Amino acid sequence: MTKHIFPQGALELVIIRVLQGTANHGWGIAQKIHLISNDVLKVEEGSLYPALARMVQKGWIKAEWGTSENNRRAKYYSLTKLGQKRLNSEKQNWEAMVAAIAVILGTEC
Amino acid sequence: MLTIGDMELFHIIRNWFANLFRPKALHGELDEEMEHHLSMTIDKKVAEGMSSNLAKKAALKEFGSVERLRDECQDAWGTRFLLDTVSDIRFAARQLIKSKGYLAVTILTIAMCSGLNVSIYRYVHAWIVKPFDYPNAEEVVAVGKIWKKQRNKVGAISPLSFTEIEREARSFKAIGLVDSDDNVGVVVPNGSAFVADVMLITPGIWDVAGVKPLLSSTFTRGSVEEGHDKVAVIGYQIWQSRFGGSVNVIGKQIRLDDSEHTIIGVMPDRFNILYPNRTMWLPRKESSHEMKEANRESNSHRVIARLNEGVGISQAQVELDHSPLCLRGAAFLWESG
């Protein structure tokens, strides 16, 4: 099956959604996205960690150290109230953009 | 009320300052995270039956360039620019100190270039940027809630507060609301589509701007209330690029998203209202939902007004300060446009 890389801005949106209700570390986030999308979406590590850093910087998520499944120290990310608000507004923007692109692709120019 | 963008800006600035003082700790934490990521990947591959050595090699290959990842994280933390700049300044200072003659030439060159830039800017501004010449621009003011924590910045207000000011304030000869939502529409004239930045405005904006259209007319409160609300006024650029500058553009039907609109006017070159990228203006009608008292604090739209002749900003301020509008929790202030 072809694996798709995320378009600009979509990765952050998906990470916020994955973190809704449960904190997770970077590896866990990547795995969850992979599983939920039925192996269609692949998160490159080179994109994941900079995205997480940007999101912490903006206050969408916060990070705390904890112990992971393999008994190692891991940084767990969880959603903040600001992140939840951003998800709500970005979701609407995303849906509007997808609809607009669909209109353009379906129009004869 | 703080917007999401305001809160994000606060976090970015706070974290940026915090990061400046802990670059080594940030790198250490990132290294530990990467190690954890690799160990989890290796464990998974081993559990799937791969040998430990092969699993390690495969995990490292999948992980990709660690240096690129570090660079991108530095960009996200906001520390890279500063550290690079400090490093560049140190290098430049060392080079200049080595040669005093070269230092003198450098200072002289910077001084001359600064003077030259100021002169060039004046010409560029006057001959190329050419700001639009709005009649009696000093009469145009911004009206909105004041943000005392942001240096008395005039903020947005709700459609309900706007309609009350429009109805009750006597200091303005015209007042209008600009919808702050990003409205990008797909326009389809004669079967060919293009994307336009659309601005929804109340008809009063045209009187505030005081600019006559290049062709035909704009919409008025009367015409909109009579039901002629499926109209559009277009900018000069679109008129030239999409309609070939033809005067027959007036009366043409365009489909914007799902509804048909009639072009009723073309504005002059470089005309804009608050947001320079908007190239098409449509009438905005307030909804009954917006007029509910519960939505008084939905402060998300910009309002501009034109002062009555002979009325100064301070007089208008006094009027609003002593009007019932303030008692309803809406303290308004304005600044010169």
Side-chain angles (χ1 to χ4, degrees):
Chain A
M1 185 184 288
T2 311
K3 290 188 178 174
H4 298 274
I5 307 296
F6 280 88
Q8 187 81 22
L11 178 58
E12 281 89 344
L13 195 63
V14 172
I15 292 174
I16 296 178
R17 180 66 188 88
V18 164
L19 289 176
Q20 251 183 336
T22 171
N24 213 336
H25 45 69
W27 188 84
I29 293 167
Q31 290 299 306
K32 207 166 173 182
I33 292 171
H34 196 56
L35 280 173
I36 294 174
S37 69
N38 289 327
D39 298 351
V40 174
L41 294 173
K42 171 153 175 61
V43 187
E44 303 279 353
E45 288 79 358
S47 308
L48 175 67
Y49 287 98
L52 288 169
R54 280 194 298 275
M55 292 165 74
V56 170
Q57 196 75 359
K58 289 176 186 169
W60 296 356
I61 56 174
K62 59 181 179 186
E64 280 170 329
W65 288 98
T67 309
S68 74
E69 305 90 295
N70 66 355
N71 236 9
R72 276 172 173 263
R73 226 164 80 90
K75 207 183 232 184
Y76 278 80
Y77 296 93
S78 58
L79 195 57
T80 62
K81 282 183 184 169
L82 182 57
Q84 182 61 53
K85 283 183 187 170
R86 179 50 79 187
L87 173 66
N88 296 340
S89 68
E90 288 295 316
K91 203 176 159 195
Q92 285 176 359
N93 288 345
W94 180 259
E95 283 164 358
M97 191 181 79
V98 169
I101 290 171
V103 170
I104 294 169
L105 293 180
T107 307
E108 279 185 29
C109 296
Chain B
M1 203 174 75
L2 287 177
T3 63
I4 299 175
D6 293 335
M7 288 189 279
E8 283 172 7
L9 188 63
F10 166 75
H11 280 283
I12 289 169
I13 293 170
R14 192 189 64 178
N15 290 331
W16 183 73
F17 271 109
N19 292 344
L20 283 183
F21 298 103
R22 51 190 290 269
K24 279 187 182 170
L26 284 170
H27 280 282
E29 287 178 11
L30 182 63
D31 287 346
E32 203 171 344
E33 262 196 295
M34 288 193 281
E35 277 174 30
H36 174 260
H37 192 108
L38 282 170
S39 73
M40 292 294 287
T41 310
I42 293 166
D43 288 354
K44 186 172 179 252
K45 290 186 183 301
V46 169
E48 286 168 356
M50 202 179 270
S51 74
S52 176
N53 266 347
L54 276 177
K56 198 174 173 184
K57 278 182 188 167
L60 282 168
K61 196 178 171 190
E62 268 179 30
F63 200 90
S65 165
V66 174
E67 280 312 308
R68 193 171 67 88
L69 191 149
R70 279 209 186 98
D71 281 351
E72 288 195 18
C73 284
Q74 263 194 338
D75 284 339
W77 299 327
T79 55
R80 187 171 166 185
F81 168 74
L82 195 80
L83 294 175
D84 284 355
T85 306
V86 169
S87 166
D88 288 348
I89 289 172
R90 276 185 186 157
F91 177 75
R94 277 200 299 271
Q95 296 299 313
L96 287 173
I97 288 165
K98 274 185 191 171
S99 163
K100 292 196 171 54
Y102 187 62
L103 177 64
V105 171
T106 306
I107 291 171
L108 210 65
T109 308
I110 292 172
M112 282 177 70
C113 287
S114 303
L116 199 65
N117 274 337
V118 172
S119 308
I120 289 172
Y121 175 76
R122 281 185 187 152
Y123 283 107
V124 168
H125 190 68
W127 297 99
I128 298 174
V129 178
K130 292 180 185 169
F132 195 86
D133 190 17
Y134 295 90
N136 303 323
E138 68 285 354
E139 290 176 357
V140 179
V141 293
V143 182
K145 283 206 132 184
I146 180 160
W147 294 101
K148 286 189 176 164
K149 287 180 182 170
Q150 292 182 21
R151 296 183 180 179
N152 289 347
K153 183 185 165 195
V154 178
I157 58 176
S158 64
L160 175 58
S161 293
F162 163 70
T163 51
E164 288 179 348
I165 301 172
E166 186 182 37
R167 191 174 59 232
E168 295 176 28
R170 298 282 169 264
S171 299
F172 310 124
K173 68 171 85 161
I175 185 165
L177 177 142
V178 173
D179 196 313
S180 58
D181 289 341
D182 288 329
N183 291 290
V184 178
V186 177
V187 184
V188 189
N190 304 329
S192 63
F194 65 93
V195 177
D197 289 305
V198 180
M199 182 186 261
L200 300 179
I201 56 172
T202 62
I205 288 290
W206 298 119
D207 297 323
V208 176
V211 177
K212 287 184 178 168
L214 191 65
L215 280 185
S216 196
S217 61
T218 56
F219 44 87
T220 63
R221 177 164 286 280
S223 69
V224 173
E225 281 174 359
E226 281 169 20
H228 303 297
D229 56 341
K230 295 293 181 194
V231 293
V233 176
I234 61 172
Y236 185 87
Q237 291 300 330
I238 282 191
W239 178 50
Q240 288 292 319
S241 61
R242 302 289 172 178
F243 298 94
S246 163
V247 290
N248 295 329
V249 70
I250 302 301
K252 269 200 191 310
Q253 291 285 309
I254 51 173
R255 201 172 82 229
L256 195 58
D257 294 335
D258 289 331
S259 57
E260 294 281 339
H261 286 70
T262 308
I263 297 174
I264 58 166
V266 177
M267 294 309 288
D269 194 13
R270 302 189 318 279
F271 172 82
N272 69 70
I273 307 162
L274 295 180
Y275 303 97
N277 60 329
R278 306 295 163 87
T279 46
M280 192 175 283
W281 300 274
L282 267 57
R284 183 187 195 278
K285 290 170 85 176
E286 61 271 11
S287 67
S288 55
H289 176 71
E290 289 173 333
M291 292 300 110
K292 288 180 182 165
E293 190 58 35
N295 293 317
R296 179 175 292 282
E297 290 304 315
S298 300
N299 300 315
S300 54
H301 302 295
R302 304 270 302 273
V303 168
I304 52 173
R306 186 174 277 274
L307 292 168
N308 262 322
E309 275 164 32
V311 175
I313 288 182
S314 52
Q315 281 172 274
Q317 178 75 73
V318 169
E319 190 213 337
L320 284 196
D321 281 348
H322 294 88
S323 80
L325 295 163
C326 277
L327 296 176
R328 289 180 210 133
F332 302 106
L333 191 90
W334 39 81
E335 63 189 6
S336 176

